[in-house]
Amino acid sequence: MEKHLGLVNTFIIALTIILFGMALFTTGFTHDLLLEAGVLLVSIKLIMMSYKNSISNKELINSIKELSEKIDKIKNSTN
């Protein structure tokens, strides 16, 4: 998982959780907490999308490499 998220995303996750915890203790259970929870959920969604895109990109690169190898084999067999 670390190779997909990276250091910056891990830092953002930790910072978001810390700030949400601080907001919980400073505002208490008020209307502002719902706003903070919404911000936390948006951050989590963005991180999940980044992780999913990273996995998808790796799969695409592997597919392109396989196709390239097959094309090279076809070129070499015709020569």
Side-chain angles (χ1 to χ4, degrees), residues 25-41:
F25 288 112
T26 57
T27 61
F29 291 100
T30 63
H31 175 72
D32 293 335
L33 181 63
L34 295 176
L35 179 64
E36 295 297 331
V39 170
L40 178 66
L41 290 175

Side-chain angles (χ1 to χ4, degrees), residues 17-61:
I17 291 171
I18 290 169
L19 291 174
F20 180 74
M22 289 173 51
L24 178 66
F25 288 112
T26 57
T27 61
F29 291 100
T30 63
H31 175 72
D32 293 335
L33 181 63
L34 295 176
L35 179 64
E36 295 297 331
V39 170
L40 178 66
L41 290 175
V42 168
S43 298
I44 290 171
K45 179 65 177 177
L46 289 173
I47 292 165
M48 289 172 52
M49 287 173 50
S50 170
Y51 177 76
K52 198 171 188 179
N53 282 337
S54 176
I55 291 174
S56 177
N57 287 343
K58 297 265 186 202
E59 290 174 358
L60 284 172
I61 289 171

Side-chain angles (χ1 to χ4, degrees), residues 5-16:
L5 287 179
L7 182 62
V8 174
N9 286 337
T10 306
F11 175 74
I12 295 297
I13 292 169
L15 183 64
T16 303

Side-chain angles (χ1 to χ4, degrees), residues 53-71:
N53 282 337
S54 176
I55 291 174
S56 177
N57 287 343
K58 297 265 186 202
E59 290 174 358
L60 284 172
I61 289 171
N62 289 337
S63 296
I64 290 171
K65 284 180 182 178
E66 288 176 13
L67 286 173
S68 177
E69 289 172 0
K70 289 179 181 179
I71 290 171

